[in-house]
Amino acid sequence: MPVGTQGTVKGLSPHEVAEVGSQIILANTYHLMLRPGEHLVAAHGGLQGFSGYQGPFLTDSGGFQVMSLGHLRKIREEGVMFKSHLDGREIELTPERSVQVQQALGADIIMAFDECPPYPAERDYIQRSLQRTARWLERCLEAKTRPDQALFAIVQGGIYPELRDESLALTLPFDTPGFAIGGLAVGEPKEELYPAVAYTAARLPANKPRYLMGVGHPEDLVVGIALGVDMFDCVYPTRTGRFGYALTDQGRLNLKASAARTRMEPVDADCDCYACRNFTQAYIAHLLRAEEMLGPRLLSLHNIRYLHRLVERIRRAIAGGELDSWARSWGEQYFKGSLPGWYAQALEEARQV
Amino acid sequence: MPVGTQGTVKGLSPHEVAEVGSQIILANTYHLMLRPGEHLVAAHGGLQGFSGYQGPFLTDSGGFQVMSLGHLRKIREEGVMFKSHLDGREIELTPERSVQVQQALGADIIMAFDECPPYPAERDYIQRSLQRTARWLERCLEAKTRPDQALFAIVQGGIYPELRDESLALTLPFDTPGFAIGGLAVGEPKEELYPAVAYTAARLPANKPRYLMGVGHPEDLVVGIALGVDMFDCVYPTRTGRFGYALTDQGRLNLKASAARTRMEPVDADCDCYACRNFTQAYIAHLLRAEEMLGPRLLSLHNIRYLHRLVERIRRAIAGGELDSWARSWGEQYFKGSLPGWYAQALEEARQV
């Protein structure tokens, strides 16, 4: 899912999001409740009418953003008191309020309000937090009144298998239509991230989508899907595009580098996106140097398309029963030779599932 | 003509330029010769291959930009020595060099290298300058070798009818395929601009395009066309769009104003552009406040489309023999009541032609 933090995928028009093959956009509850406010979005008939993107939306709960506010927020059993980063206004976000706002925003998939500890955190804190997350899940489900929205629960527990087990035991009985693997991708090294993803994904129902929140570099998609993840979101393709980088099978290509200024070939000759079909690297490099909007736009477009094409290739490899060998050969190209330990190890675990 | 200073119309993709109805883009020789350099553009087969816009281009001569550099440039009979605004490098731009660069850029219409005095300027200086411009025109035509490019001459003379006559007498004999009305729109009030435009346009051949350089507010198009002008260029629609303003028949609409935040209607219910068909003013106002690229993009798109629709309406009014009454009633709406003196006076002059 490309991320449309403020109700727009940065740099793309809604019809372009559909054209590059995106099937769903993530929007941020925290940002939209502060500005323009959920009531204005609701007056447009929800996010689709507001943003002009006619496909499905997912909203996060706002939890991750308010937790990240550091000294600007206070977490209690009732919910989180925080100060708006826009105007310092004091606001309370509770499970009930999060659901209420997400109902007004009107996404197709909404997320439970969870407490997400940072990395590293005390094991005790992580345990108290996963227990609170389960109590909050119950409150979210009680507050939910719209039958046309699917609420996904979030499994916590950091990198500790026994805490993941505890969280799974508290969460699975609610039998929500999808489950997110939460409390990860918050700073832990990949060596610790993927064993936790593998452990959790393997214990989630096979017939419901598994969503790894906030993750989405190319290598994460390959390994995550191998481990059984179905959904991802990340600002990476658009953010790295705005910074002048293009995603390719050979790694990240820096279009601000001097060498790009005279390259007469497209970013990726195999890519079918608008940027690769119509423009040379030299032109995109010129746009970046001239600080023209079209430069970041073309790279954001390409990068999202690259990830969708990557997933299409992974899907074909799965269908052909050759995911493991495909992922190894893709990785050798991408990492320029030898696979990182965490990547090889995750593929090994995936083979055993 | 929308302006693509650096080989891109700010905020628009080339296919969007075509979609809003633009038939030709202006690109700036000065900017492109400095970065990325005309050779790189030529290596792409010219501006079309470089920029991805497949329609016609017009390049200016670079003269206006180098003249505007103030203390960074020195004008001599040979040409203009100037320091690049990018890196301070000393560069000479002569009539021959301007044509050479414009041939490398490969536009369909190229412009003679002229000396354009600022406003106000001494009458004597304006006279010497129009004479030099005529000598430079001859040098441009001698330097020109590509038969597939049309070189337009530029008539100078400021706001003085007798100097306009002198420039016309020196310029018309070259019988170039089009003529620009130059040395105007450089700071003079509209009360002085339009009599000079009227005077010059009336004395240019009826069977060749007349181009009023650097002009293009909505009211300028109405009055300019009434006075016989065929071509305009201006950064106004895209620049004012980036600043948060939308062009409408009722004048400029400020989308950054508080009131816009809750307006559920489009910018212009009569407009067929992508912005007006898909988004409310409230959404665009949100994008501007959130500093999302899509906001300036939608307004740039709308503003260019507005000008093209305006010209279509002017064309219909001309065909129906009712330009004068149409221009009056449009002006009453646009200026909210009474027509400014210069506008009414220019329409009066147009009636007498």
Side-chain angles (χ1 to χ4, degrees):
Chain A
M1 293 179 284
V3 175
T5 306
Q6 312 199 83
T8 169
V9 175
K10 285 189 196 301
L12 273 69
S13 298
H15 71 89
E16 292 172 329
V17 175
E19 277 162 26
V20 295
S22 302
Q23 295 170 9
I24 174 166
I25 293 179
L26 179 142
N28 285 113
T29 291
Y30 168 79
H31 288 281
L32 291 168
M33 72 183 279
L34 295 185
R35 184 180 58 198
E38 71 274 17
H39 298 299
L40 187 80
V41 177
H44 285 79
L47 282 164
Q48 299 185 347
F50 185 60
S51 72
Y53 176 73
Q54 299 305 325
F57 273 91
L58 178 150
T59 44
D60 62 6
S61 69
F64 182 76
Q65 269 82 20
V66 296
M67 310 293 165
S68 320
L69 289 173
H71 68 283
L72 291 175
R73 55 90 177 134
K74 212 157 95 187
I75 306 174
R76 300 172 308 172
E77 179 64 18
E78 176 58 21
V80 182
M81 284 295 302
F82 68 96
K83 287 195 170 131
S84 157
H85 75 284
L86 293 178
D87 57 10
R89 194 158 46 110
E90 276 225 331
I91 301 175
E92 187 166 28
L93 197 56
T94 62
E96 292 78 12
R97 177 89 181 104
S98 171
V99 167
Q100 190 186 8
V101 175
Q102 292 187 78
Q103 292 194 146
L105 295 175
D108 302 84
I109 300 174
I110 65 177
M111 299 302 297
F113 187 69
D114 66 329
E115 184 184 356
C116 174
Y119 176 91
E122 298 283 327
R123 195 182 175 289
D124 268 11
Y125 176 50
I126 295 174
Q127 186 168 28
R128 284 198 308 277
S129 161
L130 75 86
Q131 292 165 351
R132 174 174 281 165
T133 292
R135 291 191 296 274
W136 284 1
L137 170 60
E138 191 163 5
R139 285 168 57 189
C140 283
L141 288 167
E142 269 164 34
K144 183 177 181 301
T145 56
R146 278 184 67 161
D148 59 339
Q149 294 183 303
L151 186 148
F152 281 20
I154 301 172
V155 175
Q156 290 283 353
I159 56 171
Y160 303 100
E162 61 285 8
L163 296 187
R164 289 269 155 199
D165 279 336
E166 183 175 348
S167 182
L168 283 160
L170 291 170
T171 310
L172 291 180
F174 288 99
D175 196 30
T176 52
F179 291 93
I181 303 171
L184 290 174
V186 288
E188 68 288 284
K190 303 234 183 202
E191 286 75 11
E192 302 193 352
L193 169 63
Y194 281 105
V197 170
Y199 189 87
T200 315
R203 283 157 182 83
L204 286 171
N207 62 340
K208 297 197 171 178
R210 302 165 189 148
Y211 165 26
L212 182 54
M213 296 192 295
V215 170
H217 289 225
E219 62 270 35
D220 293 314
L221 298 185
V222 175
V223 158
I225 294 173
L227 293 171
V229 175
D230 303 297
M231 295 169 64
F232 303 83
D233 79 273
C234 197
V235 297
Y236 181 67
T238 46
R239 181 170 291 169
T240 202
R242 290 199 305 285
F243 291 168
Y245 293 93
L247 304 180
T248 78
D249 278 356
Q250 288 76 42
R252 229 166 47 151
L253 184 66
N254 182 359
L255 274 294
K256 288 170 310 177
S258 250
R261 293 162 70 179
T262 50
R263 284 199 208 112
M264 299 296 288
E265 66 266 22
V267 161
D268 182 347
D270 294 333
C271 181
D272 57 2
C273 84
Y274 178 67
C276 291
R277 279 186 291 107
N278 291 282
F279 306 96
T280 62
Q281 291 187 37
Y283 181 62
I284 297 175
H286 166 67
L287 293 174
L288 294 172
R289 278 164 197 268
E291 296 181 11
E292 292 281 359
M293 265 188 259
L294 186 57
R297 261 173 54 65
L298 291 176
L299 292 177
S300 298
L301 245 160
H302 165 76
N303 288 346
I304 295 179
R305 181 64 195 147
Y306 176 80
L307 294 183
H308 290 315
R309 283 181 57 243
L310 182 64
V311 172
E312 287 165 15
R313 289 187 285 166
I314 297 171
R315 194 175 286 133
R316 279 198 296 274
I318 293 172
E322 50 182 28
L323 179 60
D324 185 69
S325 65
W326 183 90
R328 274 169 213 282
S329 96
W330 178 86
E332 272 156 26
Q333 215 185 341
Y334 186 77
F335 293 111
K336 301 183 170 73
S338 63
L339 302 180
W342 66 266
Y343 185 91
Q345 196 189 326
L347 293 183
E348 199 50 50
E349 285 197 62
R351 268 166 53 159
Q352 289 159 16
V353 176
Chain B
M1 294 180 282
V3 175
T5 306
Q6 312 199 82
T8 169
V9 176
K10 285 188 196 304
L12 273 68
S13 298
H15 72 89
E16 291 172 328
V17 175
E19 277 163 25
V20 294
S22 302
Q23 295 171 9
I24 174 167
I25 293 178
L26 179 142
N28 285 112
T29 291
Y30 168 80
H31 288 282
L32 292 168
M33 71 182 280
L34 296 186
R35 184 179 59 197
E38 70 275 17
H39 299 300
L40 186 80
V41 177
H44 285 78
L47 281 165
Q48 299 185 348
F50 185 59
S51 72
Y53 177 72
Q54 298 306 326
F57 273 91
L58 178 149
T59 44
D60 63 7
S61 70
F64 181 76
Q65 268 83 20
V66 296
M67 309 296 164
S68 320
L69 290 172
H71 68 284
L72 291 174
R73 55 89 177 135
K74 213 157 92 186
I75 305 173
R76 300 172 309 173
E77 180 63 19
E78 176 58 21
V80 183
M81 285 293 303
F82 69 96
K83 288 196 167 128
S84 157
H85 75 285
L86 292 178
D87 57 11
R89 192 158 47 111
E90 276 226 331
I91 302 175
E92 186 166 31
L93 196 57
T94 62
E96 292 78 12
R97 176 91 180 102
S98 170
V99 167
Q100 190 187 8
V101 175
Q102 291 186 80
Q103 292 195 146
L105 295 175
D108 303 83
I109 300 174
I110 65 177
M111 299 302 299
F113 187 69
D114 64 329
E115 183 184 358
C116 173
Y119 176 90
E122 297 284 328
R123 195 184 176 289
D124 268 10
Y125 175 50
I126 295 175
Q127 186 167 28
R128 284 197 308 276
S129 163
L130 75 86
Q131 292 165 352
R132 173 174 283 165
T133 292
R135 291 191 296 273
W136 284 1
L137 171 60
E138 191 162 5
R139 285 168 56 189
C140 283
L141 288 166
E142 269 164 33
K144 182 178 182 302
T145 56
R146 278 183 66 159
D148 59 339
Q149 294 183 304
L151 187 148
F152 282 20
I154 301 173
V155 176
Q156 290 282 354
I159 57 172
Y160 304 99
E162 61 286 7
L163 296 188
R164 289 271 153 197
D165 280 334
E166 183 176 347
S167 183
L168 283 160
L170 291 170
T171 310
L172 290 180
F174 288 99
D175 197 30
T176 51
F179 291 93
I181 303 171
L184 290 173
V186 288
E188 67 290 282
K190 303 236 181 200
E191 287 75 11
E192 301 193 353
L193 169 64
Y194 281 105
V197 170
Y199 190 88
T200 315
R203 284 157 182 82
L204 286 170
N207 62 340
K208 297 197 170 177
R210 303 164 188 149
Y211 165 27
L212 183 54
M213 296 192 296
V215 170
H217 289 224
E219 62 271 35
D220 293 314
L221 298 185
V222 175
V223 159
I225 294 172
L227 293 171
V229 176
D230 302 297
M231 296 169 64
F232 304 84
D233 79 273
C234 198
V235 296
Y236 181 67
T238 45
R239 180 170 291 169
T240 202
R242 289 199 305 285
F243 291 168
Y245 293 93
L247 303 180
T248 78
D249 278 355
Q250 288 76 43
R252 226 166 50 151
L253 184 66
N254 182 0
L255 274 295
K256 288 171 310 177
S258 249
R261 294 162 68 179
T262 51
R263 282 200 209 111
M264 299 296 289
E265 66 266 22
V267 162
D268 182 346
D270 294 333
C271 181
D272 57 1
C273 83
Y274 178 67
C276 291
R277 279 186 292 107
N278 290 283
F279 307 96
T280 62
Q281 291 187 38
Y283 181 63
I284 296 175
H286 165 67
L287 294 173
L288 294 172
R289 279 166 197 268
E291 295 180 13
E292 292 282 357
M293 265 188 259
L294 186 57
R297 262 174 52 66
L298 290 176
L299 291 177
S300 298
L301 244 160
H302 165 75
N303 288 346
I304 295 179
R305 180 64 193 147
Y306 176 79
L307 294 183
H308 289 316
R309 283 182 56 244
L310 182 64
V311 172
E312 287 165 15
R313 288 187 285 165
I314 297 171
R315 194 175 288 132
R316 278 199 296 274
I318 293 172
E322 51 182 28
L323 178 60
D324 185 70
S325 66
W326 183 90
R328 274 169 213 282
S329 94
W330 179 87
E332 273 156 25
Q333 216 185 341
Y334 186 78
F335 294 110
K336 301 183 169 73
S338 63
L339 302 180
W342 65 267
Y343 185 91
Q345 196 189 328
L347 293 184
E348 199 51 47
E349 284 197 64
R351 268 166 55 160
Q352 288 159 17
V353 178

